[in-house]
Amino acid sequence: MRLEPLPNPSPLRSVGVTLLALGLAFALVGGVFWAYGLSPLEAYRTMLEGTLLDPRGWQEVLRRTIPLLLIGAGLSLAFRTQFYNIGAEGQLLLGAVLAAGVALFLPLPPALSLPAMALAAALGGALWCGLAAWLKNRFYVNEILTTLMLNYVAQSLVIYLINGPWRGKDVRGYIYSDRFAEYQQLPVLLGSNVHWPTLALGIALALLLQLLLFRSTLGFRLRVVGENPGAARYLGISQSRAFLVVALITGGAAGLAGFGEIAGIHHRLIEPTQLSSGYGFTAIIVAWLARGNPALVLLTAPLMGLILAGGDVLKVSFNLPFRIVDVFSGVMLFALIGSELFLRYRLRHR
Amino acid sequence: MEEVLNALARALSFGTPLLIACLGALLNERAGVVNLGVEGMMALGALASFAVAYGEAGDGNLWLAVLAAILAGGLSALLHGFVTITLQANQFVSGLALSMVGLGIAGLLGKRYEGLPLFDHPSEEPFILGAMGLALLLAFLFGATRLGLSLRSVGENPAAADLLGINVLALRYGAVVAGGALAGLAGAYLSLVYRPSWTDGMTAGLGWIAVALVIFVGWNPLRAIFGAVFFGLLYYLQFRLQGQSGIPSEVFASLPYLLVILVLALSGLRGQQGNAPEALGKPYRRGER
Amino acid sequence: MKIRLLALLVALGLGLGLAQQSNLKACFIYVGPIGDVGWTYAHDEGRRAAEKAIPGLTTQYVESVKPADTLATVDRLVAGGCNVIFTTSFDFMDQTLEAAKKYPNVIFAHASGFKRAPNMLTYMADFYQIYYLNGLMAGALTKSGKVGYVAAFPIPELKRHISAFALGVRAVNPRATVNVKWINAWYSPVKAREATEALIAEGNDIVAFTEDTATVIQTAARRRVPSFSHYNSMYKYAPDYVVSGQLVDWSVIYIDILKKVQNGTYTPKNLENVDYWWLARERAVMLGAQVGMPINPKFEPALKQATMVVNGKRMSVYDRVMELYRDIQSPNPKWDPFTGPIRDRNGVLRVPAGRRMTVKELNEMQWVAPGVVGPVPDEPK
């Protein structure tokens, strides 16, 4: 057997291969269910009923989608430019910190409060990621290392604030900040935790970044830097500037996600591991699956949201351990990326 | 003096799993394959070794336990190898998937071992010395052997290596599996020696630190010793220094991470940046460019 | 004929009774995994014991739930027929209140919080008295006069426990100190080990802790340092080194609440003022290296030899511990560790002479007792 390149794979083939890959993933995870003494069909039926066939399930998928959408759109741009930001989790926290700072300490007219919080959050995330870009440009420090390390620093910063200077007066000494005022909380879809303004922001951002990437000079420059650094140098495009721009955008987007989590759900600054649910890492997958197209994140973010929400259903319905979610998303991911080869090649018997 | 020795002992004890895992990641990155799944492979290794060592009632064989960890790590890395080398998928995503699957499977299978004590456990010294020896061995491998040269060429320029008759795919497979085996071994150290117990999530992000350390030490096995001990020392000192002054504990808690960045920035300033292998992260396809 | 009728009536009655009972479904939302050997494990033990003790009760649990997912989890549990929902972490407080408003006919019970509603009660099993007893033993056993404490987060619960512990230590050894290292995590074996190593390097020869694994005990045993079990029976990890400890039994609270729901005492309308603050008297907490072993026999001789002065009389530390333990288990305890006069470590009088701290004061405690060494965030000056 050998591989034969396909110059122009048909869309039908793409859909077919992807569906086959998903089928394989479902079969493998089904095996895990079976090993746990659970009928795979029963498990999948429950997951489906608890998510897509249930209005409350939809709300959950959407709530999980919001931060993934924001961070994922930003990251897809960053990966396109070969800027490997894996510190979105820390940037999300910085966004939450600055948004909380504005909410708690900046006396603003109520109408301006939420926009100012959003702005501050974007700024916080952008600066945290911008720091990594600056270190890369000025001192040649690899951004994978910096962004990863800065995650831990961001966690310590949040803990310091809620342990000490920002500890709330209404929490009886617990490690929370005070609760935000009503007008500092994002509106939600009735009876749910879906903070829709942030959802709208995420959709707009994904489309905007798509336009920026493919319809603007800046986008062209970013793509050249990512695809062919040599050509970028030849054309006089500054790699450093591209990295900085991308870092500010992707960090800002992650910061906005942090704003959504605390202004939409928690309504205070809380302990970092309880604040985010690891969205910064999950969004890396979202971005990679979108293959460098911010707009495609509109599909991949809800897909991951669906897996996360579906995992919750399994946890509640069958007392399954929470790790089932990790296995599920991991296997799904393996199947999807493993199948990509068969989009571009086909197997031939020699 | 006693104080210094004690701190050094802590640095070695905590730095050893980092060093072993870092050397593993370094080995496969030198051959051109990134594996971000260290955390997951470590968890699998930790569970496999604990399960074998515990046996039915804490009476299992410790050597077999260590072997089980190496196998668990190596086999899980084989999956990464298949997906990234044979199927030529993106190495970063595959590694992420591996870290999820590894943590997930370890968590699911480990339920019955949660929180059991292990009285008969190996001492730290053989592992510490073994890890150092391993670093020397890798330095020798890369610096003075044909195999090492071939491995490096596979990571730097696989097409040229291929032309010279080097089996790129086989070497990459070998490096990935060996790297995974070392990640598994690091996990065994955690659950057999450092704790010794198994609980879900006990790898505590050390796998990620190991991945970052590879960059920190510039893909150099000898510098990996200093990198791991340096980080281990800072990690211990965050608690040792806590309460000795008015400085909040959170400042000390972030010091290990900040100082790693600072040291790297300073060495960058002096132009001593280690260089990533040229073909790192790129799948090799014969006949393309 | 009569007998048959009677039997029928009895059967009917039983059937009805069972039917009524089988309506009771209690659901538990946990913050961590049930295998953590700490907080969540203890709650799950309580759940299982309650299920055995109450006929007709069914239970369900969901582990590792984040605060952000609480409301959605409640939605699903209510849809699945739960009529009593326990949320077992302070972190769930705001969300539980929100859920209580959304489902006025479901009974909610929130552990360790302070917000209530007509259909939401609060409950807590607290260790502070037990900590004092452990402190007495630590004070008697330390040779260096330095006792170490690995602490999770600087919240009132820990400040209360560490302070009670320090008061006990100083009652035996007035110059001894309790040295605290914060790890800012509920679960982190790695941090727990390194913090313990640091404490021992600094000369602490006894350690106690708050963290969800047995790491501190295992580490201390390596260095031949005695330690105190936390939350669950940890004697088995180091039989030669675990002196005693504080143990919890949530099942007494769960059984009491669920029985009162079953017999109609608790309804979704009358819980506004129901707050369980259960101690040794109610058997919600115990002293022990493991259940049934208040003091490890290995340490009995040393504790019987060590003496302290109580109200002008000299007595052995062992006898004092046992005397106080009997007292706090009695229906009307006469003694409480936080009886005035008590000054904080900065010399400010916090509890005037002759007064005891109220439950509210204990729950909001921000100061720490004399003898506690180490930074304490947000400490009142």
Side-chain angles (χ1 to χ4, degrees), chain A:
Chain A
M1 282 202 299
R2 67 195 170 89
L3 291 171
E4 192 181 82
L6 285 169
N8 294 309
S10 68
L12 200 66
R13 183 180 174 85
S14 302
V15 174
V17 167
T18 306
L19 284 181
L20 268 178
L22 287 177
L24 178 71
F26 280 119
L28 284 174
V29 177
V32 176
F33 291 144
W34 179 78
Y36 242 86
L38 188 66
S39 146
L41 285 179
E42 170 82 5
Y44 285 126
R45 194 176 55 83
T46 312
M47 266 184 95
L48 196 66
E49 279 176 3
T51 50
L52 295 183
L53 301 179
D54 173 17
R56 275 195 301 261
W58 269 100
Q59 290 170 3
E60 274 304 283
V61 175
L62 283 181
R63 180 176 69 82
R64 304 291 208 141
T65 301
I66 297 168
L68 295 177
L69 190 57
L70 280 163
I71 305 174
L75 286 183
S76 65
L77 188 73
F79 294 155
R80 184 110 202 181
T81 320
Q82 310 265 352
F83 183 82
Y84 295 104
N85 172 20
I86 50 175
E89 192 74 8
Q91 292 141 26
L92 182 154
L93 289 178
L94 253 285
V97 163
L98 261 68
V102 167
L104 295 169
F105 303 108
L106 204 63
L108 282 173
L112 285 182
S113 208
L114 273 172
M117 283 164 72
L119 211 64
L123 196 70
L127 286 179
W128 208 239
C129 194
L131 183 62
W134 178 71
L135 286 164
K136 183 184 174 75
N137 292 337
R138 178 77 184 72
F139 300 98
Y140 311 101
V141 184
N142 185 308
E143 75 278 12
I144 296 182
L145 180 131
T146 346
T147 50
L148 193 64
M149 294 283 162
L150 285 175
N151 282 342
Y152 297 96
V153 179
Q155 285 188 357
S156 285
L157 175 66
V158 174
I159 292 178
Y160 167 72
L161 291 172
I162 54 179
N163 261 349
W166 289 15
R167 187 174 320 218
K169 300 283 166 268
D170 72 343
V171 293
R172 307 208 184 172
Y174 209 81
I175 39 165
Y176 286 159
S177 79
D178 272 326
R179 202 174 158 86
F180 304 155
E182 287 290 328
Y183 61 84
Q184 291 164 332
Q185 303 175 5
L186 280 167
V188 289
L189 295 180
L190 196 66
S192 76
N193 270 331
V194 182
H195 35 105
W196 59 266
T198 339
L199 182 63
L201 212 58
I203 296 172
L205 186 77
L207 296 174
L208 207 70
L209 290 184
Q210 183 78 7
L211 283 181
L212 173 98
L213 198 55
F214 292 99
R215 293 273 183 281
S216 75
T217 333
L218 177 63
F220 170 73
R221 289 183 175 163
L222 295 182
R223 276 183 293 144
V224 174
V225 166
E227 278 152 32
N228 196 339
R233 265 192 297 278
Y234 183 73
L235 291 171
I237 299 172
S238 159
Q239 211 179 7
S240 305
R241 267 192 53 194
F243 288 148
L244 190 64
V245 168
V246 157
L248 293 177
I249 293 175
T250 168
L256 279 176
F259 159 72
E261 290 306 292
I262 62 163
I265 296 175
H266 302 296
H267 305 138
R268 29 170 126 240
L269 191 62
I270 64 172
E271 204 244 310
T273 55
Q274 302 290 356
L275 199 154
S276 143
S277 311
Y279 291 125
F281 289 104
T282 315
I284 297 178
I285 298 163
V286 168
W288 276 109
L289 289 179
R291 301 192 179 110
N293 297 292
L296 265 187
V297 170
L298 291 171
L299 280 179
T300 57
L303 175 72
M304 279 315 292
L306 183 64
I307 293 179
L308 292 179
D312 284 349
V313 176
L314 291 176
K315 254 168 53 174
V316 178
S317 303
F318 302 108
N319 279 3
L320 278 185
F322 72 104
R323 287 292 185 191
I324 196 77
V325 183
D326 290 320
V327 175
F328 207 119
S329 7
V331 169
M332 185 90 91
L333 209 55
F334 266 131
L336 282 176
I337 57 166
S339 72
E340 275 188 36
L341 185 72
F342 303 102
L343 297 179
R344 288 172 281 115
Y345 294 82
R346 71 172 150 206
L347 275 179
R348 263 289 157 87
H349 292 279
R350 217 189 276 261

Side-chain angles (χ1 to χ4, degrees), chain B residues 6 10 14 111 114-115 117 119 124 193-197 199-202 235-236 239-240 242-244 249, chain C residues 35 37 63 181-184 187 189-191 193-195 197-198 201-202 213 215 218 222-223 236-237 375:
Chain B
N6 175 64
R10 289 319 312 146
F14 181 77
K111 281 277 169 201
E114 292 264 5
F119 290 111
E124 294 180 349
V193 186
Y194 185 81
R195 281 279 303 276
S197 262
T199 36
D200 191 2
M202 66 176 288
Y235 199 86
Y236 168 71
F239 299 108
R240 185 64 187 80
Q242 192 189 118
Q244 311 291 315
S249 64
Chain C
V37 207
E63 66 170 1
K181 300 277 185 201
W182 302 102
I183 58 171
N184 284 318
Y187 169 84
V190 174
K191 287 181 180 170
R193 164 133 198 218
E194 297 307 325
E197 295 279 4
E202 285 166 25
T213 68
T215 309
Q218 289 176 302
R222 253 172 219 261
R223 307 273 171 239
K236 63 179 179 192
Y237 290 94

Side-chain angles (χ1 to χ4, degrees), chain B residues 129-143:
Chain B
L129 291 175
M132 302 269 176
L134 196 67
L136 295 176
L137 189 75
L138 280 186
F140 176 74
L141 177 81
F142 288 131

Side-chain angles (χ1 to χ4, degrees), chain C residues 189-252:
Chain C
V190 174
K191 287 181 180 170
R193 164 133 198 218
E194 297 307 325
T196 311
E197 295 279 4
L199 283 167
I200 294 172
E202 285 166 25
N204 295 281
D205 59 358
I206 310 276
V207 288
F209 70 101
T210 311
E211 194 257 351
D212 276 344
T213 68
T215 309
V216 173
I217 283 182
Q218 289 176 302
T219 307
R222 253 172 219 261
R223 307 273 171 239
R224 305 181 180 282
V225 163
S227 57
F228 289 88
S229 185
H230 176 67
Y231 234 84
N232 296 297
S233 296
M234 291 181 175
Y235 173 76
K236 63 179 179 192
Y237 290 94
D240 291 341
Y241 295 100
V242 178
V243 182
S244 179
Q246 52 283 345
L247 306 172
V248 75
D249 180 5
W250 289 101
S251 74
V252 291

Side-chain angles (χ1 to χ4, degrees), chain C residues 130-203:
Chain C
I130 307 284
Y131 261 102
Y132 181 90
L133 305 186
N134 284 326
L136 291 178
M137 290 185 261
L141 293 173
T142 176
K143 294 188 180 72
S144 65
K146 292 169 97 176
V147 179
Y149 198 108
V150 176
F153 283 103
I155 57 173
E157 185 186 331
L158 270 91
K159 292 181 180 179
R160 174 169 81 233
H161 292 167
I162 295 169
S163 292
F165 186 70
L167 288 174
V169 168
R170 287 229 156 161
V172 177
N173 187 341
R175 276 185 308 249
T177 53
V178 174
N179 303 288
V180 180
K181 300 277 185 201
W182 302 102
I183 58 171
N184 284 318
W186 292 113
Y187 169 84
S188 179
V190 174
K191 287 181 180 170
R193 164 133 198 218
E194 297 307 325
T196 311
E197 295 279 4
L199 283 167
I200 294 172
E202 285 166 25

Side-chain angles (χ1 to χ4, degrees), chain C residues 44-54 57 249 251-252 255:
Chain C
D44 200 53
E45 268 194 326
R47 173 188 70 83
R48 280 179 279 139
E51 199 174 49
K52 269 201 200 118
I54 300 176
L57 169 72
D249 180 5
S251 74
V252 291
I255 290 172

